[in-house]
Amino acid sequence: MYKMNRSIVPAFMLAGVLAGCASAPPYTPEPFTPITLEPTAYTKKVDNFVIILDSSSSMNERHQGNEKFLYAKDIVSRMNQTIPPLDYQAGLVVFGSGGCMDWKYSKLVYGMTPYTQSGLASSLDSLECASGITPLSEGVDRADAALDGSSGEIAVIIVSDFEQADPPRVLDAVDNLKSNYGDRVCVYSIHIDRDRGARKLADQIDHVSGCGFATNADEIVTPEAMADYVTRVLLIPGPLDSDGDGVPDDIDQCPDTPPGVRVNAVGCWVLADDNVLFEVDRTEIRDTTMLDEAIEILIANPEITGEI
């Protein structure tokens, strides 16, 4: 549990910085070739995502021989390399304290802004160290504030070892996030390390969220596993079809067809595959089914105009 008593924080933070500098082992990420998720093959599951990255002193400890902070950055980098270039609004929040945090408890270092892989990568590369206490609740609050005024669905992804955090404060912050955005927001936790006690908090966060899920970073490190993770969190397989006529937007020449109409291969309303035929030398139409359908559609959508 962390304490916010400022009279003792400076010494504690200094100790965290010094310990981190002394014990951080070199870390060289393994080669990573991301699996390409073609934008035309997916629809966005969310419109906004925020990554919350732990930059506290506990992240200077080792996990499988690697400094956890650098390992966590690598996980976020692999995620960034895998996310397809769709029109998301994105943000990156870090939390901790001390010199590595410019003496703040949380910072928005990227966004909220239209997502670009290069923009997020640059902000991630600017994070050089981890220090201080673990105010995870401050990170959640910072993400909450960054999302203010957003529209559409939201994914919040927490990347942390979840150690030395204050569970009641963290869960209150997640609950407040849900109160502000309701079913629009889901919270996902990526656990660095395998400490069972810390993982319990990650699972509790997802329970309060009501959607999302917790996973361990080791389980999504490969290109295949990361592609699956990105798909589950941010994407829906299948191309975007805004008007729901079964024709993807990228080839739909009539993007605003009303619900229930029959369309051709390029998404435009057609009455039937064949011409409307009359009886020979008479004014009676042989089959009025397609005209009856058209009348129902026109009555239901009075804003539609057309020519005969």
Side-chain angles (χ1 to χ4, degrees), residues 206-224:
D206 296 314
H207 178 72
V208 172
S209 164
C211 53
F213 53 87
T215 191
N216 190 280
D218 296 343
E219 299 169 356
I220 58 173
V221 73
T222 67
E224 295 79 10

Side-chain angles (χ1 to χ4, degrees), residues 135-178:
L136 174 51
S137 61
E138 299 275 345
V140 175
D141 288 342
R142 181 73 64 176
D144 191 336
L147 288 163
D148 185 37
S150 66
S151 60
E153 304 300 303
I154 302 166
V156 174
I157 305 167
I158 303 174
V159 185
S160 173
D161 62 4
F162 297 95
E163 295 182 9
Q164 301 179 12
D166 184 343
R169 293 181 67 128
V170 172
L171 297 177
D172 282 347
V174 174
D175 185 62
N176 187 62
L177 180 73
K178 288 294 292 185

Side-chain angles (χ1 to χ4, degrees), residues 96-173:
S97 63
C100 295
M101 288 289 300
D102 298 328
W103 308 101
K104 300 175 182 178
Y105 291 120
S106 67
K107 295 191 299 182
L108 179 68
V109 295
Y110 176 72
M112 296 293 293
T113 188
Y115 168 70
T116 63
Q117 186 180 105
S118 61
L120 181 54
S122 177
S123 296
L124 187 64
D125 289 342
S126 72
L127 306 175
E128 298 180 348
C129 59
S131 63
I133 59 177
T134 310
L136 174 51
S137 61
E138 299 275 345
V140 175
D141 288 342
R142 181 73 64 176
D144 191 336
L147 288 163
D148 185 37
S150 66
S151 60
E153 304 300 303
I154 302 166
V156 174
I157 305 167
I158 303 174
V159 185
S160 173
D161 62 4
F162 297 95
E163 295 182 9
Q164 301 179 12
D166 184 343
R169 293 181 67 128
V170 172
L171 297 177
D172 282 347

